[in-house]
Amino acid sequence: MSIQPARTRFAPSPTGHLHLGGARTALYAYLLAKKTGGQFILRIEDTDLKRTVPGAEQEIMDGLRWLGLNYDEGPDIGGPYGPYRQTERREIYQAHAKTLVDNGRAYPCFCTTERLDKVRKEQMDRKENPRYDGTCRSLAPDEAAKRIANGEAYTIRFKMPHDGVTVAHDHLRGDITIENKQLNDQVILKTDGLPTYHLAAMVDDHEMKITHVMRGSEWLGTFPLHVNIVRAFGWDEPTWIHLSVFLKPSGKGKMSKREAADAMKDGYSIFVKDMQDLGFTPEGVLNWCGLMGWGVAEDDVMTTAQMVERFTIDSLTPSPAAINFQRLDHFNATHIRLLTTEDLAARLKPYFAREGLAVKDDVLLKMIPIIRERLTTLDDCISFGAFFFKDEVTPNPEELIAKGLDAKQSAEIARKAYELLSAQPDISHERSEPPFRYYVEASGFNAGQVFGVLRVAVTGQKVSPPLFESMEIIGRDVCLKRVQNAISILEKM
Ligand code: GLU
């Protein structure tokens, strides 16, 4: 059986930051398109002018590119079905709204906001669900035309059937059946001539030849309206896939603004723009959020290319997934281990630069194999490896004193270390370690004490990558200088 190339789209509104839920929707749409040899499209749904946030569109595009979810058509790169920004397509929607009015499937509505508010209030007082009361639904077309000609402001509402039921089919959830009398006549074109989502998205999905609509489950409520609009035009329906929602880590409800800010304090974020700063890799982020809502083994480590290979829409699950940041750490660390040394080097550089450290490429390539296993996030390279690039380290004097010893004894160890290191023509770790082992045996100090003094002296910190390998990379002269410095600190104590 040949697979039809899918055309999928990610259709965010530029009303805020690109968040994990959006990134995952984009990922699934991307995976399906790539898996089937189709196209992945970015469409900006910016018809709600009041909610548009300057810069949000750019952030979406930057975020998708950072994640590697490169779209084949979009507002900044164009494509055969553009424009891809809805505010640039208003005539298209107006023409379609007119078609529906001409066919008796929609009607102009002249009700003012004041009147609608009053009706809503009365309905709520009567404990009824607020809905449009249908005042303009039965206006004679001539009468409506006259009022439009007189310059009266109007919206266009979709005329929902009153009888029977609507059956809408979601690929993950099956048939959703609703009695039409429960449906409301929604506005599809606003007084400013711009469409609402209901019309714009249906028109665009059709005009852009979208085969699979993947969107958040918050659209399930208006799903019956949407299928009615598509059917009113006589169009084929796309395959509808309403994705699960993300819940906060406790699994109770969605993440609030405050909880999102709290996550930031712990070094996590639900916004894609923060992920790079926090040291996450696009591979780790995608693998992590890709598995939330996709029925493969929880621990499946996959690159994006491997996800493309394994992706099927049948394996998506509709149940909500709780965000688990520890799993993000796990996937991030795992993907860091999978990168080539050269690739990882290029990714670490900006973090060293951010700390004002001048990175030497040869040193970077040598130190990566000994720090890689210790990195959960990319910025961990600072705590494990900044000492490789510092001119000098400033050890905390207290930390130079080995456990169970005093400053004098620690200074003795440091002086011996200086002697042992200077006796070596080179300090490859194979050569430099054995003399220290003999010293441990002969001196009566234990290994922890000897290596502890040396470690703090050379790296400036108590925890470091393997000591002798580190010293080899730093080089004999610098190590001697640092040990000398430690001796003077200890002798002054
Ligand atoms: N603009 C809608 C949103 O951001 C898109 C929903 C859809 O993908 O159709 O929620």
Side-chain angles (χ1 to χ4, degrees), residues 10 18 23 26-27 30 40-44 56-78 84-85 272-273 276 281-283 286 304 347:
F10 177 47
L18 175 61
L27 171 66
Y30 173 89
F40 169 58
I41 291 132
L42 173 65
R43 182 172 76 222
I44 297 292
E57 177 182 313
Q58 191 59 46
E59 190 185 310
I60 291 164
M61 300 194 293
D62 292 346
L64 292 177
R65 293 214 166 91
W66 180 72
L67 289 166
L69 302 179
N70 295 318
Y71 37 92
D72 302 297
E73 301 165 28
D76 55 339
I77 54 171
Y84 294 90
R85 202 177 275 116
V272 174
K273 73 173 175 59
Q276 184 170 16
T281 58
E283 292 87 344
L286 285 182
T304 309
R347 298 193 202 207

Side-chain angles (χ1 to χ4, degrees), residues 114-143:
E114 293 73 40
R115 180 177 180 272
L116 295 171
D117 286 347
K118 191 166 155 269
V119 170
R120 185 174 310 118
K121 191 174 168 303
E122 285 164 5
Q123 289 170 333
M124 299 207 358
D125 287 347
R126 290 196 301 269
K127 307 248 176 314
E128 291 169 14
N129 282 339
R131 65 210 321 268
Y132 180 58
D133 65 354
T135 304
C136 297
R137 185 172 165 122
S138 47
L139 273 186
D142 301 356
E143 162 77 8

Side-chain angles (χ1 to χ4, degrees), residues 24 29 138 165 170 180 195 220 260 283 345 358 373 402-403 483 488:
R24 189 194 54 176
S138 47
V165 294
D170 174 90
N180 286 338
L220 278 170
E283 292 87 344
E373 295 290 320
K403 204 162 169 226
V483 175
S488 8

Side-chain angles (χ1 to χ4, degrees), residues 9 11-13 45 197 214-215 219:
R9 87 301 191 276
S13 300
E45 302 205 326
Y197 170 79
M214 293 186 181
R215 59 181 188 177
W219 295 107

Side-chain angles (χ1 to χ4, degrees), residues 35-266:
K35 167 93 186 216
T36 56
Q39 292 85 33
F40 169 58
I41 291 132
L42 173 65
R43 182 172 76 222
I44 297 292
E45 302 205 326
D46 57 351
T47 60
D48 192 347
L49 302 179
K50 286 196 290 297
R51 293 184 60 224
T52 297
V53 172
E57 177 182 313
Q58 191 59 46
E59 190 185 310
I60 291 164
M61 300 194 293
D62 292 346
L64 292 177
R65 293 214 166 91
W66 180 72
L67 289 166
L69 302 179
N70 295 318
Y71 37 92
D72 302 297
E73 301 165 28
D76 55 339
I77 54 171
Y81 301 95
Y84 294 90
R85 202 177 275 116
Q86 288 186 328
T87 45
E88 292 166 19
R89 301 170 61 80
R90 59 177 86 203
E91 288 78 17
I92 300 175
Y93 310 121
Q94 287 166 358
H96 281 85
K98 183 169 182 307
T99 304
L100 289 180
V101 173
D102 291 348
N103 295 344
R105 300 304 311 267
Y107 57 92
C109 170
F110 302 91
C111 294
T112 60
T113 323
E114 293 73 40
R115 180 177 180 272
L116 295 171
D117 286 347
K118 191 166 155 269
V119 170
R120 185 174 310 118
K121 191 174 168 303
E122 285 164 5
Q123 289 170 333
M124 299 207 358
D125 287 347
R126 290 196 301 269
K127 307 248 176 314
E128 291 169 14
N129 282 339
R131 65 210 321 268
Y132 180 58
D133 65 354
T135 304
C136 297
R137 185 172 165 122
S138 47
L139 273 186
D142 301 356
E143 162 77 8
K146 221 183 284 161
R147 289 173 72 171
I148 293 173
N150 280 343
E152 223 179 297
Y154 66 99
T155 60
I156 305 271
R157 285 183 186 271
F158 185 71
K159 197 184 265 183
M160 277 295 198
H162 277 165
D163 306 319
V165 294
T166 295
V167 181
H169 185 79
D170 174 90
H171 190 78
L172 305 180
R173 297 156 204 267
D175 282 348
I176 295 165
T177 306
I178 183 151
E179 285 192 49
N180 286 338
K181 61 174 184 279
Q182 292 181 27
L183 299 173
N184 196 4
D185 285 358
Q186 299 273 8
V187 172
I188 55 173
L189 201 74
K190 297 176 285 183
T191 46
D192 61 4
L194 278 169
T196 57
Y197 170 79
H198 314 306
L199 177 67
M202 298 315 114
V203 168
D204 287 347
D205 288 338
H206 172 73
E207 297 263 308
M208 296 178 182
K209 303 206 169 6
I210 301 302
T211 57
H212 296 72
V213 169
M214 293 186 181
R215 59 181 188 177
S217 58
E218 66 270 22
W219 295 107
L220 278 170
T222 40
F223 182 27
L225 162 67
H226 299 150
V227 300
N228 271 290
I229 293 177
V230 172
R231 290 170 194 171
F233 282 112
W235 296 331
D236 285 341
E237 280 178 59
T239 299
W240 302 95
I241 300 167
H242 291 90
L243 299 167
S244 61
V245 289
F246 282 168
L247 302 177
K248 59 180 150 188
S250 66
K252 295 193 189 96
K254 286 207 204 177
M255 199 100 167
S256 70
K257 277 216 172 99
R258 230 196 71 202
E259 285 154 339
D262 282 350
M264 209 49 196
K265 281 188 222 130
D266 295 335

